[in-house]
Amino acid sequence: MKVLVTGGAGYIGSVATERLISNGYEVVVLDSFYMGHREAVHPQAAFVEADLSDKAAVDAAFREHRPEAVMHFASHTLVGESMQHPFLYLGDNVRNALNLLEVMVEHGVGKIILSSTANLFEKPESMPIGPDERVIPGSPYGESKAIIERFLHWLQVTKGLRYACLRYFNAAGATAERGEDHTPETHLIPLVLQVALGQRDAIKIFGGDYPTPDGTCVRDYIHIADLADAHILSLQALETRPVLTYNLGNGNGFSVKEVVDTARRITGHAIPVEIVDRRPGDPAVLVADATKIKAELGWAPQFPDLQSIIQSAWNWHNGHPRGYAG
Ligand code: UFG
């Protein structure tokens, strides 16, 4: 099967491409390099340099490559940024998804896996967050994904589109060849590892007064290879089921301080910290109940613990101290 991967030069999309190819799929990567890296694109993938805002270019890519399914990663993805620049999210994310979906429908491409997010749940009634939790987006970013999930629903009803919404918690870690390299970097684990590499003096902890055991925010970190495998299992399951919705995490929450302590043990570096003000939009605790995808699709994470996730990230950052630039 041939799969078109939007954002296949980015962090999660490039690893999904890697896993698709190692599982025997043909892949067409469509990426604008807005955030992605040419070096992250798998050498066996066909490549189209295009922005999803350019519908004619997307149409041409479908005409040339004739994909049978789509994995849609290309997106603005930062909760904090979306609070400052809502139109990047309510505008670009939504319009770009609409362009993609219109082209898919025009070309009769009937399956899509959407990168969705834990930011759909601002005030969850249960923790870990289960499959039936009510969607109340926590930011314009979460709202943009909620809107796209609704588009998928209506395209299923009206056009028979088959779709999976995968609601990720905190994607982290690396494979041997592909890791996390954002400019600017805002994510906790790569920033902590930059301190260990001597590229930053200290890590700023955003808030030490949350209602959590040590006062810092708790998150559910999930390895990107496990995330990628969930996409492939979902794609296979769409053969028999038209709609899939899953929360993706390991079901274990770790505080910011626990992440730093784990990184200290792995790197042998002291990693100084400084507690600063809370970051707007950060909920205290986000942990996934992923039993539904385990039960329905047999998803079995290979990196279910924080130690192995951070170790894999450290291996990559050590080998690529300047990210994909070297
Ligand atoms: N943090 C710090 N200092 C930093 C960076 C982060 O203390 O320098 C803290 C944050 O406050 C948060 C935790 O570390 O509590 C994780 O922050 P990240 O920025 O790494 O990740 P987020 O939880 O903000 O967001 C990520 C993705 C989103 C996704 C969300 C879902 O970036 O796309 O997980 O849980 F929606």
Side-chain angles (χ1 to χ4, degrees), residues 11 170-174 180 185-197 200 203 219-223 254-256 258-260 262-263 266-267 271 305-314 317:
Y11 175 43
N170 286 57
E180 191 162 11
E185 189 55 80
T186 62
H187 293 95
L188 179 64
I189 291 176
L191 288 174
V192 165
L193 297 179
Q194 286 175 5
V195 179
L197 285 167
R200 288 175 191 269
I203 188 83
R219 294 288 182 274
D220 184 344
Y221 295 89
I222 171 171
H223 196 281
F254 294 95
S255 72
V256 176
E258 286 175 312
V259 168
V260 173
T262 307
I266 288 170
T267 63
I271 311 184
D305 59 294
L306 186 64
Q307 169 88 17
S308 60
I309 291 172
I310 297 183
Q311 182 70 57
S312 73
W314 178 235
H317 283 280

Coordinates of all heavy atoms in Angstrom, one line a residue, residues 11 170-174 180 185-197 200 203 219-223 254-256 258-260 262-263 266-267 271 305-314 317:
Y11 N 9.3 15.6 13.2 CA 9.8 14.7 14.3 C 9.0 13.4 14.3 O 9.5 12.3 14.1 CB 9.6 15.4 15.6 CG 9.8 14.6 16.9 CD1 10.9 13.8 17.0 CD2 9.0 14.7 18.0 CE1 11.2 13.1 18.1 CE2 9.2 14.0 19.1 CZ 10.3 13.2 19.2 OH 10.6 12.5 20.3
N170 N 2.5 13.0 25.5 CA 3.8 13.7 25.2 C 4.7 12.8 24.4 O 5.4 11.9 25.0 CB 4.4 14.2 26.5 CG 3.6 15.4 27.0 OD1 2.5 15.3 27.2 ND2 4.3 16.5 27.1
A171 N 4.8 13.0 23.1 CA 5.7 12.3 22.2 C 7.2 12.6 22.6 O 7.5 13.8 22.8 CB 5.5 12.7 20.8
A172 N 8.0 11.6 22.7 CA 9.4 11.8 23.2 C 10.2 10.6 22.6 O 9.7 9.7 22.0 CB 9.4 11.8 24.7
G173 N 11.6 10.7 22.8 CA 12.5 9.7 22.4 C 12.9 9.8 21.0 O 12.5 10.7 20.3
A174 N 13.7 8.8 20.6 CA 14.3 8.8 19.2 C 14.5 7.4 18.7 O 14.6 6.5 19.6 CB 15.6 9.6 19.3
E180 N 14.4 14.4 17.9 CA 13.7 15.6 18.1 C 14.6 16.8 17.9 O 15.6 17.0 18.6 CB 13.1 15.7 19.5 CG 12.1 16.7 19.7 CD 11.2 16.5 20.9 OE1 11.5 15.6 21.7 OE2 10.2 17.2 21.1
E185 N 13.6 25.2 20.2 CA 13.1 24.1 20.9 C 12.4 24.5 22.2 O 12.8 25.4 22.8 CB 14.4 23.2 21.4 CG 14.0 21.9 22.0 CD 13.1 21.0 21.1 OE1 13.6 20.4 20.1 OE2 11.8 21.0 21.3
T186 N 11.2 23.9 22.4 CA 10.4 24.3 23.5 C 10.1 23.0 24.4 O 9.5 23.2 25.5 CB 9.0 24.9 23.1 OG1 8.3 23.9 22.4 CG2 9.2 26.1 22.3
H187 N 10.4 21.9 23.9 CA 10.0 20.6 24.6 C 11.0 20.2 25.7 O 12.2 20.4 25.6 CB 9.8 19.5 23.6 CG 8.7 19.7 22.7 ND1 8.8 20.2 21.4 CD2 7.4 19.5 22.8 CE1 7.7 20.3 20.9 NE2 6.7 19.9 21.7
L188 N 10.4 19.7 26.8 CA 11.2 19.5 28.0 C 12.4 18.6 27.8 O 13.5 18.9 28.1 CB 10.3 18.9 29.1 CG 11.0 18.6 30.4 CD1 11.5 19.8 31.0 CD2 10.0 17.8 31.3
I189 N 12.2 17.4 27.2 CA 13.3 16.4 27.2 C 14.5 16.9 26.3 O 15.6 16.9 26.8 CB 12.8 15.0 26.8 CG1 11.9 14.5 27.9 CG2 13.9 14.0 26.5 CD1 11.2 13.1 27.7
P190 N 14.2 17.4 25.1 CA 15.4 17.9 24.4 C 16.1 19.1 25.1 O 17.3 19.2 25.0 CB 14.9 18.3 23.0 CG 13.4 18.2 23.1 CD 13.0 17.3 24.2
L191 N 15.3 19.9 25.7 CA 15.9 21.0 26.4 C 16.8 20.5 27.6 O 17.9 21.0 27.8 CB 14.9 22.0 27.0 CG 14.2 22.8 25.9 CD1 13.0 23.6 26.6 CD2 15.1 23.8 25.2
V192 N 16.3 19.6 28.3 CA 17.1 19.0 29.4 C 18.4 18.4 28.9 O 19.5 18.5 29.5 CB 16.2 17.9 30.2 CG1 17.1 17.0 31.1 CG2 15.1 18.6 31.0
L193 N 18.3 17.7 27.8 CA 19.5 17.1 27.2 C 20.5 18.1 26.7 O 21.7 17.9 26.7 CB 19.1 16.0 26.1 CG 18.2 14.9 26.7 CD1 17.9 13.9 25.6 CD2 19.0 14.1 27.8
Q194 N 19.9 19.2 26.2 CA 20.8 20.3 25.8 C 21.7 20.9 27.0 O 22.8 21.3 26.8 CB 20.1 21.5 25.1 CG 19.6 21.1 23.7 CD 18.7 22.1 23.1 OE1 18.5 23.2 23.6 NE2 18.2 21.8 21.9
V195 N 21.0 20.8 28.2 CA 21.8 21.2 29.4 C 22.9 20.2 29.6 O 24.1 20.5 29.8 CB 20.9 21.3 30.6 CG1 21.7 21.7 31.8 CG2 19.8 22.4 30.4
A196 N 22.6 18.9 29.5 CA 23.6 17.9 29.7 C 24.7 17.9 28.6 O 25.8 17.6 28.9 CB 22.9 16.5 29.6
L197 N 24.4 18.4 27.5 CA 25.4 18.6 26.4 C 26.3 19.9 26.6 O 27.1 20.2 25.8 CB 24.8 18.6 25.0 CG 24.3 17.2 24.5 CD1 23.4 17.4 23.3 CD2 25.5 16.3 24.2
R200 N 23.2 24.6 27.3 CA 22.4 25.5 28.1 C 22.9 25.4 29.5 O 23.4 24.3 29.9 CB 20.9 25.1 28.1 CG 20.2 25.4 26.9 CD 18.8 24.9 26.9 NE 18.3 24.9 25.6 CZ 17.6 26.0 25.1 NH1 17.3 27.0 25.8 NH2 17.2 26.0 23.8
I203 N 17.9 24.2 33.3 CA 16.5 24.1 32.8 C 15.6 24.9 33.6 O 15.7 24.8 34.9 CB 16.1 22.6 32.7 CG1 14.8 22.4 31.9 CG2 16.1 21.9 34.0 CD1 14.9 22.4 30.5
R219 N 3.3 14.5 33.2 CA 2.9 14.2 31.8 C 3.2 12.7 31.6 O 4.0 12.1 32.2 CB 3.8 15.0 30.8 CG 3.5 16.5 30.9 CD 2.2 16.8 30.3 NE 1.9 18.2 30.2 CZ 1.3 18.9 31.2 NH1 1.0 18.3 32.4 NH2 1.1 20.2 31.2
D220 N 2.5 12.2 30.5 CA 2.6 10.8 30.1 C 3.5 10.8 28.8 O 3.0 11.2 27.8 CB 1.2 10.3 29.9 CG 1.2 8.8 29.5 OD1 2.2 8.3 29.2 OD2 0.1 8.3 29.6
Y221 N 4.7 10.4 29.0 CA 5.6 10.4 27.8 C 5.5 9.1 27.0 O 5.5 8.0 27.6 CB 7.1 10.7 28.3 CG 7.2 12.0 28.9 CD1 6.9 12.2 30.3 CD2 7.5 13.2 28.1 CE1 7.0 13.5 30.9 CE2 7.5 14.4 28.7 CZ 7.3 14.6 30.1 OH 7.3 15.9 30.6
I222 N 5.4 9.2 25.7 CA 5.3 8.1 24.9 C 6.3 8.1 23.8 O 6.6 9.1 23.2 CB 3.8 8.0 24.3 CG1 3.7 6.9 23.2 CG2 3.3 9.3 23.7 CD1 2.3 6.6 22.8
H223 N 7.0 7.0 23.6 CA 8.1 6.9 22.6 C 7.5 7.0 21.2 O 6.5 6.4 20.8 CB 8.8 5.6 22.7 CG 10.1 5.6 22.0 ND1 10.3 5.4 20.7 CD2 11.4 5.8 22.5 CE1 11.5 5.5 20.4 NE2 12.2 5.7 21.4
F254 N 4.8 11.3 34.8 CA 6.1 11.7 35.4 C 6.1 13.2 35.5 O 5.8 13.9 34.6 CB 7.3 11.2 34.6 CG 7.4 9.7 34.6 CD1 6.8 8.9 33.5 CD2 7.9 9.0 35.6 CE1 6.8 7.6 33.5 CE2 8.0 7.6 35.6 CZ 7.4 6.9 34.6
S255 N 6.6 13.6 36.7 CA 6.7 15.1 36.9 C 8.0 15.6 36.2 O 8.9 14.9 35.8 CB 6.8 15.4 38.4 OG 8.1 15.0 38.8
V256 N 8.0 17.0 36.0 CA 9.1 17.6 35.4 C 10.4 17.2 36.2 O 11.4 16.9 35.6 CB 8.9 19.1 35.3 CG1 10.2 19.8 34.7 CG2 7.7 19.5 34.4
E258 N 11.0 14.6 37.9 CA 11.3 13.2 37.7 C 12.0 13.0 36.3 O 12.9 12.2 36.2 CB 10.1 12.3 37.8 CG 9.6 12.1 39.2 CD 8.3 11.3 39.3 OE1 7.3 11.6 38.5 OE2 8.2 10.4 40.1
V259 N 11.6 13.8 35.4 CA 12.2 13.8 34.1 C 13.7 14.2 34.2 O 14.6 13.6 33.7 CB 11.5 14.6 33.0 CG1 12.3 14.9 31.8 CG2 10.1 14.0 32.7
V260 N 13.9 15.3 34.9 CA 15.2 15.9 35.1 C 16.1 14.8 35.9 O 17.2 14.6 35.5 CB 15.2 17.2 35.8 CG1 16.6 17.7 36.2 CG2 14.4 18.3 35.0
T262 N 15.8 11.6 36.0 CA 16.1 10.5 35.1 C 17.2 10.8 34.2 O 18.1 10.1 33.9 CB 14.8 10.0 34.4 OG1 13.8 9.8 35.3 CG2 15.1 8.7 33.6
A263 N 17.1 12.0 33.6 CA 18.1 12.5 32.7 C 19.5 12.7 33.4 O 20.5 12.4 32.8 CB 17.7 13.8 32.0
I266 N 21.0 9.2 33.5 CA 21.4 8.7 32.2 C 22.6 9.4 31.7 O 23.5 8.8 31.1 CB 20.2 8.8 31.2 CG1 19.2 7.7 31.6 CG2 20.7 8.6 29.8 CD1 17.8 7.9 30.9
T267 N 22.7 10.7 31.9 CA 23.7 11.5 31.3 C 24.9 11.7 32.2 O 26.0 12.0 31.8 CB 23.2 12.9 30.9 OG1 22.8 13.6 32.1 CG2 22.1 12.8 29.9
I271 N 22.7 18.8 35.6 CA 21.5 19.4 35.1 C 20.8 20.4 36.1 O 19.8 20.1 36.7 CB 20.5 18.4 34.5 CG1 21.2 17.4 33.6 CG2 19.3 19.2 33.8 CD1 20.2 16.4 32.9
D305 N 8.7 2.7 29.5 CA 9.2 3.4 30.7 C 10.0 4.6 30.3 O 10.6 4.7 29.3 CB 10.1 2.4 31.5 CG 11.2 1.9 30.7 OD1 11.0 1.2 29.7 OD2 12.4 2.3 30.9
L306 N 10.0 5.6 31.3 CA 10.7 6.9 31.0 C 12.2 6.7 30.8 O 12.8 7.4 29.9 CB 10.5 7.8 32.3 CG 11.0 9.2 32.1 CD1 10.2 9.9 31.0 CD2 10.8 10.0 33.4
Q307 N 12.8 5.8 31.5 CA 14.2 5.5 31.4 C 14.6 5.2 29.9 O 15.5 5.8 29.4 CB 14.6 4.3 32.3 CG 16.0 3.7 32.1 CD 17.0 4.4 33.0 OE1 16.7 5.2 33.9 NE2 18.3 4.3 32.7
S308 N 13.9 4.2 29.3 CA 14.3 3.8 28.0 C 13.9 4.9 27.0 O 14.6 5.1 25.9 CB 13.6 2.5 27.6 OG 12.2 2.6 27.6
I309 N 12.9 5.7 27.2 CA 12.5 6.8 26.3 C 13.6 7.9 26.4 O 14.1 8.3 25.3 CB 11.2 7.5 26.7 CG1 10.0 6.5 26.4 CG2 10.9 8.8 26.0 CD1 8.7 6.9 27.0
I310 N 14.1 8.3 27.6 CA 15.1 9.3 27.7 C 16.4 8.8 27.2 O 17.2 9.5 26.5 CB 15.2 9.9 29.1 CG1 13.8 10.6 29.4 CG2 16.3 10.9 29.2 CD1 13.8 11.2 30.8
Q311 N 16.7 7.5 27.5 CA 18.0 6.9 27.0 C 18.0 7.0 25.4 O 19.1 7.4 24.9 CB 18.1 5.4 27.4 CG 19.4 4.7 27.0 CD 20.6 5.3 27.7 OE1 20.7 5.2 29.0 NE2 21.6 5.8 27.0
S312 N 16.9 6.7 24.8 CA 16.9 6.7 23.3 C 17.1 8.1 22.8 O 17.9 8.4 21.8 CB 15.6 6.1 22.7 OG 14.5 7.0 22.9
A313 N 16.5 9.1 23.5 CA 16.7 10.5 23.1 C 18.2 10.9 23.3 O 18.8 11.6 22.5 CB 15.8 11.4 23.9
W314 N 18.7 10.5 24.5 CA 20.1 10.9 24.8 C 21.1 10.3 23.7 O 22.0 10.9 23.3 CB 20.5 10.4 26.2 CG 21.9 10.6 26.6 CD1 22.8 9.7 27.1 CD2 22.6 11.9 26.7 NE1 24.0 10.3 27.4 CE2 23.9 11.7 27.2 CE3 22.2 13.2 26.3 CZ2 24.8 12.7 27.3 CZ3 23.1 14.2 26.5 CH2 24.4 14.0 27.0
H317 N 20.7 12.5 20.7 CA 21.3 13.9 20.8 C 22.8 13.9 21.0 O 23.5 14.8 20.5 CB 20.6 14.6 22.1 CG 19.3 15.1 21.8 ND1 19.0 16.2 21.1 CD2 18.0 14.5 22.0 CE1 17.7 16.4 20.9 NE2 17.1 15.4 21.5

